[in-house]
Short mmCIF file of all heavy atoms in Angstrom, two decimals:
data_model
loop_
_atom_site.label_atom_id
_atom_site.label_comp_id
_atom_site.label_asym_id
_atom_site.label_seq_id
_atom_site.Cartn_x
_atom_site.Cartn_y
_atom_site.Cartn_z
N THR A 309 89.55 99.50 143.79
CA THR A 309 89.57 98.08 143.37
C THR A 309 88.63 97.73 142.25
O THR A 309 88.67 96.60 141.76
CB THR A 309 89.32 97.20 144.67
OG1 THR A 309 88.13 97.72 145.34
CG2 THR A 309 90.42 97.27 145.65
N ASP A 310 87.69 98.65 141.97
CA ASP A 310 86.79 98.40 140.80
C ASP A 310 87.66 98.41 139.51
O ASP A 310 87.14 97.93 138.46
CB ASP A 310 85.79 99.54 140.69
CG ASP A 310 84.73 99.40 141.88
OD1 ASP A 310 84.71 98.33 142.52
OD2 ASP A 310 84.02 100.40 142.10
N PHE A 311 88.88 98.92 139.58
CA PHE A 311 89.71 98.98 138.35
C PHE A 311 90.83 97.89 138.40
O PHE A 311 91.87 98.06 137.68
CB PHE A 311 90.29 100.38 138.19
CG PHE A 311 89.31 101.36 137.80
CD1 PHE A 311 88.53 102.03 138.76
CD2 PHE A 311 89.10 101.70 136.43
CE1 PHE A 311 87.62 103.00 138.39
CE2 PHE A 311 88.12 102.69 136.07
CZ PHE A 311 87.47 103.37 137.03
N SER A 312 90.69 96.96 139.27
CA SER A 312 91.77 95.90 139.39
C SER A 312 92.03 95.19 138.11
O SER A 312 93.14 94.71 137.92
CB SER A 312 91.39 94.87 140.50
OG SER A 312 91.29 95.46 141.76
N PHE A 313 91.04 95.16 137.23
CA PHE A 313 91.21 94.41 135.98
C PHE A 313 92.27 95.07 135.03
O PHE A 313 92.75 94.50 134.11
CB PHE A 313 89.86 94.30 135.21
CG PHE A 313 89.28 95.61 134.80
CD1 PHE A 313 89.51 96.14 133.54
CD2 PHE A 313 88.48 96.35 135.72
CE1 PHE A 313 88.89 97.32 133.17
CE2 PHE A 313 87.95 97.58 135.35
CZ PHE A 313 88.15 98.07 134.09
N LEU A 314 92.63 96.33 135.32
CA LEU A 314 93.60 97.00 134.55
C LEU A 314 95.01 96.88 135.07
O LEU A 314 95.95 97.48 134.54
CB LEU A 314 93.26 98.51 134.51
CG LEU A 314 91.97 98.93 133.77
CD1 LEU A 314 91.73 100.43 133.83
CD2 LEU A 314 92.11 98.50 132.30
N SER A 315 95.24 96.06 136.14
CA SER A 315 96.53 95.87 136.76
C SER A 315 97.20 97.16 137.12
O SER A 315 98.26 97.49 136.65
CB SER A 315 97.44 95.07 135.87
OG SER A 315 96.89 93.88 135.47
N PRO A 316 96.48 98.02 137.91
CA PRO A 316 96.99 99.37 138.16
C PRO A 316 98.31 99.51 138.84
O PRO A 316 99.10 100.41 138.58
CB PRO A 316 95.85 100.05 138.98
CG PRO A 316 95.10 98.92 139.53
CD PRO A 316 95.19 97.73 138.59
N GLY A 317 98.65 98.48 139.75
CA GLY A 317 99.94 98.60 140.42
C GLY A 317 101.09 98.48 139.43
O GLY A 317 102.04 99.21 139.55
N VAL A 318 101.02 97.55 138.50
CA VAL A 318 102.06 97.45 137.44
C VAL A 318 102.08 98.62 136.55
O VAL A 318 103.19 99.17 136.27
CB VAL A 318 101.84 96.17 136.62
CG1 VAL A 318 102.87 96.02 135.48
CG2 VAL A 318 101.89 94.94 137.47
N TYR A 319 100.91 99.15 136.20
CA TYR A 319 100.88 100.29 135.27
C TYR A 319 101.52 101.50 135.96
O TYR A 319 102.27 102.26 135.29
CB TYR A 319 99.44 100.65 134.92
CG TYR A 319 99.36 101.74 133.88
CD1 TYR A 319 99.47 101.39 132.52
CD2 TYR A 319 99.23 103.08 134.17
CE1 TYR A 319 99.43 102.37 131.53
CE2 TYR A 319 99.25 104.03 133.27
CZ TYR A 319 99.29 103.71 131.88
OH TYR A 319 99.34 104.65 130.96
N SER A 320 101.25 101.74 137.27
CA SER A 320 101.86 102.91 137.98
C SER A 320 103.35 102.83 137.93
O SER A 320 104.08 103.85 137.74
CB SER A 320 101.29 103.08 139.39
OG SER A 320 101.83 101.99 140.20
N ALA A 321 103.95 101.65 138.13
CA ALA A 321 105.40 101.50 138.17
C ALA A 321 105.96 101.78 136.80
O ALA A 321 106.97 102.46 136.73
CB ALA A 321 105.76 100.04 138.58
N LEU A 322 105.28 101.31 135.74
CA LEU A 322 105.76 101.60 134.35
C LEU A 322 105.63 103.10 134.03
O LEU A 322 106.53 103.63 133.35
CB LEU A 322 104.96 100.75 133.37
CG LEU A 322 105.13 99.24 133.45
CD1 LEU A 322 104.10 98.55 132.57
CD2 LEU A 322 106.58 98.85 133.14
N TYR A 323 104.59 103.69 134.51
CA TYR A 323 104.44 105.16 134.29
C TYR A 323 105.52 105.96 134.98
O TYR A 323 106.13 106.90 134.47
CB TYR A 323 103.05 105.62 134.79
CG TYR A 323 102.73 107.02 134.23
CD1 TYR A 323 101.98 107.14 133.07
CD2 TYR A 323 103.14 108.18 134.89
CE1 TYR A 323 101.64 108.44 132.59
CE2 TYR A 323 102.83 109.42 134.39
CZ TYR A 323 102.11 109.53 133.24
OH TYR A 323 101.78 110.81 132.76
N GLU A 324 105.84 105.54 136.28
CA GLU A 324 106.92 106.20 136.99
C GLU A 324 108.27 106.02 136.36
O GLU A 324 109.12 106.90 136.40
CB GLU A 324 106.85 105.75 138.41
CG GLU A 324 105.67 106.28 139.16
CD GLU A 324 105.38 105.58 140.52
OE1 GLU A 324 106.21 104.73 140.91
OE2 GLU A 324 104.31 105.87 141.15
N LEU A 325 108.46 104.80 135.76
CA LEU A 325 109.68 104.53 135.04
C LEU A 325 109.82 105.45 133.84
O LEU A 325 110.88 106.02 133.55
CB LEU A 325 109.77 103.09 134.60
CG LEU A 325 110.54 102.15 135.50
CD1 LEU A 325 110.20 100.67 135.09
CD2 LEU A 325 112.03 102.35 135.38
N ALA A 326 108.73 105.68 133.14
CA ALA A 326 108.68 106.57 132.01
C ALA A 326 108.98 108.00 132.44
O ALA A 326 109.69 108.77 131.72
CB ALA A 326 107.30 106.47 131.26
N GLU A 327 108.43 108.34 133.58
CA GLU A 327 108.70 109.73 134.17
C GLU A 327 110.15 109.92 134.48
O GLU A 327 110.78 110.94 134.22
CB GLU A 327 107.87 109.87 135.42
CG GLU A 327 107.79 111.37 135.93
CD GLU A 327 106.85 112.16 135.10
OE1 GLU A 327 106.11 111.65 134.25
OE2 GLU A 327 106.88 113.41 135.28
N THR A 328 110.84 108.82 135.01
CA THR A 328 112.22 108.90 135.23
C THR A 328 113.09 109.05 133.98
O THR A 328 114.00 109.86 133.93
CB THR A 328 112.70 107.66 136.02
OG1 THR A 328 111.83 107.46 137.10
CG2 THR A 328 114.09 107.79 136.59
N ARG A 329 112.69 108.32 132.96
CA ARG A 329 113.41 108.38 131.67
C ARG A 329 113.23 109.74 131.02
O ARG A 329 114.16 110.24 130.40
CB ARG A 329 112.81 107.31 130.72
CG ARG A 329 113.24 105.89 131.12
CD ARG A 329 112.30 104.87 130.48
NE ARG A 329 112.36 104.94 129.02
CZ ARG A 329 113.18 104.19 128.24
NH1 ARG A 329 114.03 103.36 128.82
NH2 ARG A 329 113.14 104.27 126.94
N LYS A 330 112.08 110.33 131.25
CA LYS A 330 111.79 111.64 130.69
C LYS A 330 112.73 112.70 131.41
O LYS A 330 113.32 113.60 130.70
CB LYS A 330 110.34 112.06 130.88
CG LYS A 330 109.97 113.39 130.42
CD LYS A 330 108.51 113.71 130.66
CE LYS A 330 108.11 115.12 130.24
NZ LYS A 330 106.67 115.43 130.66
N LEU A 331 112.85 112.65 132.69
CA LEU A 331 113.70 113.60 133.38
C LEU A 331 115.22 113.35 133.11
O LEU A 331 116.00 114.24 133.17
CB LEU A 331 113.49 113.44 134.96
CG LEU A 331 112.10 113.96 135.41
CD1 LEU A 331 111.78 113.58 136.86
CD2 LEU A 331 111.99 115.48 135.32
N TYR A 332 115.51 112.10 132.81
CA TYR A 332 116.92 111.81 132.49
C TYR A 332 117.39 112.56 131.16
O TYR A 332 118.54 112.86 131.04
CB TYR A 332 117.04 110.27 132.23
CG TYR A 332 118.41 109.77 131.69
CD1 TYR A 332 119.52 109.79 132.49
CD2 TYR A 332 118.54 109.52 130.32
CE1 TYR A 332 120.76 109.39 131.94
CE2 TYR A 332 119.72 109.09 129.80
CZ TYR A 332 120.85 109.10 130.57
OH TYR A 332 122.08 108.70 130.06
N LYS A 333 116.43 112.80 130.24
CA LYS A 333 116.82 113.46 129.01
C LYS A 333 117.31 114.90 129.25
O LYS A 333 118.17 115.38 128.56
CB LYS A 333 115.56 113.45 128.09
CG LYS A 333 115.18 112.12 127.54
CD LYS A 333 113.99 112.16 126.66
CE LYS A 333 113.63 110.76 126.12
NZ LYS A 333 112.43 110.86 125.30
N SER A 334 116.79 115.53 130.33
CA SER A 334 117.24 116.89 130.61
C SER A 334 118.34 116.94 131.67
O SER A 334 119.03 117.90 131.83
CB SER A 334 116.07 117.78 131.05
OG SER A 334 115.38 117.15 132.15
N ASP A 335 118.46 115.79 132.47
CA ASP A 335 119.48 115.78 133.50
C ASP A 335 120.00 114.33 133.53
O ASP A 335 119.33 113.43 134.08
CB ASP A 335 118.87 116.16 134.84
CG ASP A 335 119.83 116.08 135.96
OD1 ASP A 335 121.10 115.77 135.73
OD2 ASP A 335 119.46 116.29 137.10
N HIS A 336 121.14 114.08 133.01
CA HIS A 336 121.67 112.74 132.86
C HIS A 336 122.14 112.14 134.17
O HIS A 336 122.50 110.93 134.22
CB HIS A 336 122.87 112.70 131.84
CG HIS A 336 122.44 112.68 130.43
ND1 HIS A 336 121.14 112.93 130.05
CD2 HIS A 336 123.06 112.40 129.28
CE1 HIS A 336 121.05 112.82 128.71
NE2 HIS A 336 122.19 112.54 128.24
N THR A 337 122.12 112.91 135.26
CA THR A 337 122.37 112.25 136.56
C THR A 337 121.07 111.65 137.18
O THR A 337 121.17 110.82 138.11
CB THR A 337 122.91 113.33 137.58
OG1 THR A 337 121.95 114.32 137.82
CG2 THR A 337 124.14 114.05 137.01
N PHE A 338 119.96 111.98 136.63
CA PHE A 338 118.70 111.56 137.11
C PHE A 338 118.32 110.29 136.33
O PHE A 338 117.59 110.34 135.33
CB PHE A 338 117.58 112.64 136.97
CG PHE A 338 116.37 112.43 137.84
CD1 PHE A 338 116.19 113.09 139.00
CD2 PHE A 338 115.34 111.48 137.42
CE1 PHE A 338 115.06 112.90 139.79
CE2 PHE A 338 114.26 111.29 138.18
CZ PHE A 338 114.08 112.00 139.39
N ARG A 339 118.75 109.11 136.78
CA ARG A 339 118.56 107.89 135.92
C ARG A 339 117.98 106.68 136.70
O ARG A 339 117.67 105.68 135.99
CB ARG A 339 119.90 107.48 135.34
CG ARG A 339 120.96 106.97 136.33
CD ARG A 339 122.17 106.54 135.49
NE ARG A 339 121.88 105.51 134.52
CZ ARG A 339 122.29 105.42 133.28
NH1 ARG A 339 123.13 106.39 132.81
NH2 ARG A 339 121.96 104.44 132.50
N TYR A 340 117.74 106.75 138.02
CA TYR A 340 117.35 105.54 138.75
C TYR A 340 115.91 105.64 139.22
O TYR A 340 115.47 106.69 139.69
CB TYR A 340 118.30 105.20 139.90
CG TYR A 340 119.66 104.77 139.35
CD1 TYR A 340 120.76 105.67 139.49
CD2 TYR A 340 119.84 103.56 138.72
CE1 TYR A 340 121.98 105.30 138.98
CE2 TYR A 340 121.06 103.18 138.25
CZ TYR A 340 122.11 104.03 138.35
OH TYR A 340 123.38 103.62 137.88
N TYR A 341 115.22 104.54 139.21
CA TYR A 341 113.87 104.42 139.78
C TYR A 341 113.98 103.40 140.92
O TYR A 341 114.24 102.24 140.72
CB TYR A 341 112.94 103.88 138.73
CG TYR A 341 111.53 103.55 139.19
CD1 TYR A 341 110.75 104.61 139.78
CD2 TYR A 341 110.97 102.30 139.00
CE1 TYR A 341 109.49 104.28 140.25
CE2 TYR A 341 109.70 101.99 139.49
CZ TYR A 341 109.01 102.99 140.06
OH TYR A 341 107.72 102.73 140.52
N TYR A 342 113.81 103.93 142.15
CA TYR A 342 113.85 103.07 143.28
C TYR A 342 112.45 102.54 143.63
O TYR A 342 111.49 103.29 143.71
CB TYR A 342 114.34 103.93 144.54
CG TYR A 342 115.80 104.14 144.54
CD1 TYR A 342 116.42 105.00 143.64
CD2 TYR A 342 116.64 103.57 145.55
CE1 TYR A 342 117.80 105.24 143.60
CE2 TYR A 342 117.95 103.88 145.58
CZ TYR A 342 118.55 104.61 144.61
OH TYR A 342 119.95 104.88 144.62
N MET A 343 112.43 101.24 143.79
CA MET A 343 111.12 100.56 144.04
C MET A 343 110.87 100.06 145.50
O MET A 343 110.02 99.24 145.76
CB MET A 343 111.06 99.35 143.10
CG MET A 343 111.07 99.76 141.63
SD MET A 343 111.08 98.30 140.48
CE MET A 343 112.86 97.92 140.57
N GLY A 344 111.66 100.61 146.42
CA GLY A 344 111.53 100.20 147.84
C GLY A 344 112.34 98.99 148.06
O GLY A 344 113.64 98.95 147.82
N TYR A 345 111.71 97.94 148.65
CA TYR A 345 112.48 96.75 149.01
C TYR A 345 112.14 95.56 148.16
O TYR A 345 110.95 95.41 147.79
CB TYR A 345 112.11 96.35 150.55
CG TYR A 345 112.76 97.28 151.57
CD1 TYR A 345 111.92 97.79 152.54
CD2 TYR A 345 114.09 97.59 151.54
CE1 TYR A 345 112.45 98.64 153.57
CE2 TYR A 345 114.63 98.37 152.55
CZ TYR A 345 113.83 98.93 153.56
OH TYR A 345 114.36 99.77 154.50
N TYR A 346 113.11 94.79 147.91
CA TYR A 346 112.94 93.49 147.30
C TYR A 346 112.95 92.40 148.31
O TYR A 346 113.97 92.33 149.10
CB TYR A 346 114.06 93.30 146.20
CG TYR A 346 114.03 91.91 145.58
CD1 TYR A 346 113.13 91.55 144.58
CD2 TYR A 346 114.97 90.93 145.97
CE1 TYR A 346 113.09 90.29 144.00
CE2 TYR A 346 114.96 89.65 145.44
CZ TYR A 346 114.06 89.33 144.42
OH TYR A 346 114.12 88.09 143.80
N VAL A 347 111.95 91.59 148.39
CA VAL A 347 111.86 90.51 149.43
C VAL A 347 111.91 89.13 148.71
O VAL A 347 110.82 88.69 148.30
CB VAL A 347 110.63 90.75 150.31
CG1 VAL A 347 110.70 89.85 151.55
CG2 VAL A 347 110.42 92.15 150.72
N HIS A 348 113.04 88.58 148.66
CA HIS A 348 113.18 87.29 147.90
C HIS A 348 112.45 86.15 148.60
O HIS A 348 111.94 85.25 147.96
CB HIS A 348 114.65 86.99 147.77
CG HIS A 348 114.91 85.89 146.82
ND1 HIS A 348 114.89 86.08 145.44
CD2 HIS A 348 115.20 84.54 146.97
CE1 HIS A 348 115.13 84.92 144.78
NE2 HIS A 348 115.33 83.95 145.71
N SER A 349 112.32 86.26 149.95
CA SER A 349 111.68 85.13 150.72
C SER A 349 110.18 85.24 150.66
O SER A 349 109.50 84.36 151.12
CB SER A 349 112.17 85.21 152.15
OG SER A 349 111.88 86.50 152.73
N CYS A 350 109.61 86.34 150.08
CA CYS A 350 108.16 86.53 149.97
C CYS A 350 107.79 86.47 148.49
O CYS A 350 108.11 87.42 147.78
CB CYS A 350 107.76 87.85 150.58
SG CYS A 350 105.95 88.15 150.52
N PRO A 351 107.16 85.43 148.07
CA PRO A 351 106.82 85.30 146.62
C PRO A 351 106.01 86.50 146.10
O PRO A 351 106.18 86.90 144.95
CB PRO A 351 105.93 84.05 146.61
CG PRO A 351 106.33 83.24 147.73
CD PRO A 351 106.71 84.25 148.89
N LYS A 352 105.17 87.12 146.88
CA LYS A 352 104.34 88.23 146.41
C LYS A 352 105.21 89.49 146.11
O LYS A 352 104.76 90.41 145.38
CB LYS A 352 103.27 88.58 147.42
CG LYS A 352 102.18 87.52 147.49
CD LYS A 352 101.09 88.03 148.47
CE LYS A 352 99.96 86.96 148.56
NZ LYS A 352 98.92 87.42 149.49
N MET A 353 106.38 89.54 146.67
CA MET A 353 107.25 90.71 146.50
C MET A 353 108.36 90.51 145.53
O MET A 353 109.17 91.46 145.29
CB MET A 353 107.86 91.13 147.90
CG MET A 353 106.78 91.50 148.97
SD MET A 353 105.79 92.96 148.38
CE MET A 353 107.02 94.24 148.43
N LYS A 354 108.48 89.32 144.97
CA LYS A 354 109.56 89.12 144.02
C LYS A 354 109.33 89.73 142.59
O LYS A 354 110.23 89.79 141.81
CB LYS A 354 109.77 87.55 143.84
CG LYS A 354 110.35 86.94 145.15
CD LYS A 354 110.32 85.45 145.07
CE LYS A 354 111.38 84.86 144.23
NZ LYS A 354 111.44 83.34 144.28
N TYR A 355 108.13 90.23 142.42
CA TYR A 355 107.78 90.85 141.14
C TYR A 355 108.68 92.05 140.81
O TYR A 355 108.90 92.42 139.64
CB TYR A 355 106.26 91.21 141.06
CG TYR A 355 105.99 92.51 141.96
CD1 TYR A 355 106.03 93.74 141.34
CD2 TYR A 355 105.73 92.40 143.30
CE1 TYR A 355 105.77 94.86 142.12
CE2 TYR A 355 105.44 93.49 144.08
CZ TYR A 355 105.46 94.73 143.50
OH TYR A 355 105.23 95.85 144.24
N LYS A 356 109.18 92.72 141.88
CA LYS A 356 110.04 93.89 141.66
C LYS A 356 111.24 93.57 140.86
O LYS A 356 111.81 94.47 140.18
CB LYS A 356 110.37 94.56 142.94
CG LYS A 356 109.17 95.10 143.67
CD LYS A 356 109.55 95.83 144.96
CE LYS A 356 108.32 96.39 145.68
NZ LYS A 356 108.70 97.14 146.95
N GLY A 357 111.72 92.37 140.90
CA GLY A 357 112.92 91.97 140.14
C GLY A 357 112.64 91.77 138.64
O GLY A 357 113.57 91.54 137.92
N HIS A 358 111.37 91.95 138.20
CA HIS A 358 111.07 91.80 136.83
C HIS A 358 111.26 93.10 136.01
O HIS A 358 111.04 93.03 134.79
CB HIS A 358 109.58 91.38 136.63
CG HIS A 358 109.26 90.05 137.33
ND1 HIS A 358 107.94 89.60 137.73
CD2 HIS A 358 110.10 89.02 137.73
CE1 HIS A 358 108.06 88.45 138.32
NE2 HIS A 358 109.33 88.03 138.25
N TYR A 359 111.62 94.13 136.67
CA TYR A 359 111.87 95.43 135.97
C TYR A 359 113.37 95.52 135.71
O TYR A 359 114.14 95.81 136.57
CB TYR A 359 111.40 96.65 136.80
CG TYR A 359 109.89 96.66 137.05
CD1 TYR A 359 109.35 95.86 138.08
CD2 TYR A 359 109.03 97.30 136.19
CE1 TYR A 359 107.97 95.87 138.33
CE2 TYR A 359 107.67 97.27 136.36
CZ TYR A 359 107.14 96.55 137.44
OH TYR A 359 105.80 96.54 137.67
N ALA A 360 113.75 95.16 134.50
CA ALA A 360 115.14 95.03 134.15
C ALA A 360 115.72 96.23 133.37
O ALA A 360 115.02 96.84 132.57
CB ALA A 360 115.38 93.75 133.36
#
Side-chain angles (χ1 to χ4, degrees):
T309 49
D310 291 345
F311 290 85
S312 297
F313 64 95
L314 293 176
S315 305
V318 176
Y319 188 87
S320 69
L322 295 172
Y323 194 95
E324 288 165 7
L325 263 165
E327 193 75 11
T328 309
R329 288 162 61 91
K330 180 182 176 182
L331 291 168
Y332 171 78
K333 291 179 180 178
S334 56
D335 178 4
H336 279 14
T337 65
F338 197 100
R339 68 175 300 137
Y340 292 106
Y341 174 58
Y342 282 69
M343 296 175 279
Y345 289 129
Y346 173 79
V347 191
H348 193 77
S349 58
C350 179
K352 290 183 179 179
M353 297 300 293
K354 291 168 75 171
Y355 73 92
K356 294 183 180 182
H358 299 158
Y359 297 85

